[in-house]
Amino acid sequence: MGGEQQSENTGPAPVLPRAALADPRGLVLHLAAVKWALGAIRAFVRLGVADHLVAGPATAADLARAVGVDASRLGRVLAAVATAGVLDEDAGGRFALTPASDGLRTGGAGGFRDILLLLTDPLLWRPHEDVAHTVRTGQTAFEHLYGEPFYDHLRADDAASALFDRAMAQIDGPETFALFDGVEFRRIADVGGGRGSFLAELLRRNPGREGAVCDHPLAIAGAAEEFRRCGVADRAVAIEADFFRAVPPGFDTYLVKRSLQNWDDPAAVRALRTVRAAVGDDAGARLLIVNHVLAGPGVPDPGKLSDVEMMAVLGGRERTWADWTRLAADAGFAPRGEPAPGRLTLLTFRPT
């Protein structure tokens, strides 16, 4: 297989249980009320409550003393978090971690705390208030609200930029690395790979292989630290690059992971063409794209929800397999294999 189709799932998971679809009013009100759960969970995370549950179950009063807040108000938030399924609450009012809340601890191994904080941050929350503006005008709701594109705003906000970098370091779980089982490479370039967290772990899992993370100077600032942490500093380098202008040559494999959905089609093709230019005459080189592949009409797919965020915040889009093959062909690549839709997967292309 060579890693060209690596997803083990047999079909896209439904966005909601089918029972919910039988109650139209209940379904709509349930979806509208999701903000209640998210607000409580965000408060739970920002207050660092999960950090104080590692030693075992505790009451709201115990936890309020630990984090320095009012016990009654905290208890109400914790009850909501438990109702949402993120905490356990027993009959005596003691709260305990679940696998979900354990992942929301500060610095927890394999955690996703910063992903939750980023996804619920006003920067990504507020644009959903005015998706209609984007539909009407084509301008992103983010730029309409903040007066500048998302990434320009991010670079000017140190706190938001730091949160974004931490979230991107947490975004890849075991399922992403499983996509690379059986994929052979000698030297891999992670194009747009930020501070190199994914590359570092990929090289740690593949002894004897080499790689480079290629990104904006600010994005790769922490790469050397990541490489040392994973014990791959002798096999990994960070290279300053703008993938809309030039990508370094000399690699047998080029990886573009979870980034092309940020851009519209002309920008995505422009980025892929820089990779094609770097590949040159190496007919054996590969382009690997890790991204969601949208399911067809009438098939529930969480990617159809994230597609709206791509549109409203960044001006980008999620894509179908036909979209991906068209973009790749415009950039000078042909597909190898066809992935199942409705999930994050690994797309493999060869130069034409």
Side-chain angles (χ1 to χ4, degrees):
M1 296 289 289
E4 291 168 5
Q5 289 189 66
Q6 295 297 326
S7 180
E8 297 296 325
N9 295 329
T10 57
V15 175
L16 288 167
R18 291 194 180 277
L21 303 180
D23 177 9
R25 176 184 170 87
L27 169 62
V28 172
L29 294 180
H30 170 78
L31 291 172
V34 165
K35 67 179 181 181
W36 300 342
L38 290 177
I41 294 167
R42 180 172 170 84
F44 168 77
V45 172
R46 294 186 69 194
L47 292 169
V49 177
D51 301 355
H52 298 279
L53 285 169
V54 176
T59 65
D62 296 331
L63 295 167
R65 283 192 293 271
V67 300
V69 298
D70 177 78
S72 176
R73 290 193 292 269
L74 179 63
R76 292 160 66 186
V77 166
L78 297 180
V81 175
T83 294
V86 176
L87 274 178
D88 276 338
E89 181 182 13
D90 65 21
R94 288 163 60 84
F95 296 92
L97 293 176
T98 65
S101 49
D102 188 61
L104 297 173
R105 292 189 291 113
T106 305
F112 36 85
R113 176 182 187 273
D114 292 308
I115 298 173
L116 182 282
L117 289 177
L118 177 65
L119 291 176
T120 59
D121 190 89
L123 286 179
L124 294 185
W125 186 293
R126 288 192 60 206
H128 287 275
E129 299 172 4
D130 209 357
V131 173
H133 173 82
T134 298
V135 175
R136 290 191 187 105
T137 69
Q139 181 189 39
T140 67
F142 185 94
E143 189 167 355
H144 176 58
L145 290 166
Y146 288 93
E148 59 186 343
F150 176 79
Y151 284 111
D152 290 351
H153 186 88
L154 197 65
R155 292 189 184 105
D157 185 333
D158 291 342
S161 181
L163 172 61
F164 182 85
D165 288 344
R166 294 195 304 272
M168 292 303 99
Q170 293 178 352
I171 199 168
D172 293 305
E175 71 285 351
T176 309
F177 289 102
L179 297 174
F180 289 81
D181 291 347
V183 175
E184 295 294 332
F185 64 89
R186 298 185 309 277
R187 300 185 71 233
I188 188 169
D190 187 354
V191 180
R195 61 181 292 154
S197 302
F198 183 84
L199 175 67
E201 178 61 19
L202 184 64
L203 293 180
R204 188 190 69 78
R205 293 167 179 242
N206 291 272
R209 317 292 172 81
E210 299 179 352
V213 62
C214 312
D215 210 332
H216 187 276
L218 293 177
I220 63 173
E225 176 187 344
E226 288 294 309
F227 298 153
R228 286 193 298 270
R229 183 181 63 81
C230 284
V232 298
D234 59 331
R235 298 188 283 127
V237 296
I239 300 175
E240 294 184 7
D242 178 345
F243 71 7
F244 289 117
R245 296 184 178 180
V247 173
F251 296 86
D252 64 288
T253 303
Y254 287 84
L255 169 64
V256 184
K257 181 180 66 67
R258 295 184 187 264
S259 59
L260 290 172
Q261 78 278 7
N262 296 344
W263 311 103
D264 62 15
D265 286 357
V269 170
R270 191 160 70 250
L272 292 177
R273 283 177 178 165
T274 66
V275 176
R276 183 64 184 85
V279 167
D281 297 328
D282 184 359
R286 281 181 302 180
L287 164 66
L288 304 180
I289 296 175
V290 173
N291 255 112
H292 194 91
V293 176
L294 286 175
V299 180
D301 180 358
K304 295 176 182 179
L305 301 177
S306 64
D307 185 40
V308 175
E309 178 150 298
M310 295 303 104
M311 177 178 65
V313 176
L314 297 167
R317 64 181 307 144
E318 303 286 2
R319 295 178 172 92
T320 65
W321 176 238
D323 294 328
W324 285 117
T325 56
R326 174 176 49 79
L327 294 185
D330 287 348
F333 291 98
R336 293 295 182 268
E338 180 176 347
R343 66 198 58 155
L344 183 79
T345 192
L346 180 66
L347 315 178
T348 303
F349 299 89
R350 298 280 189 184
T352 55

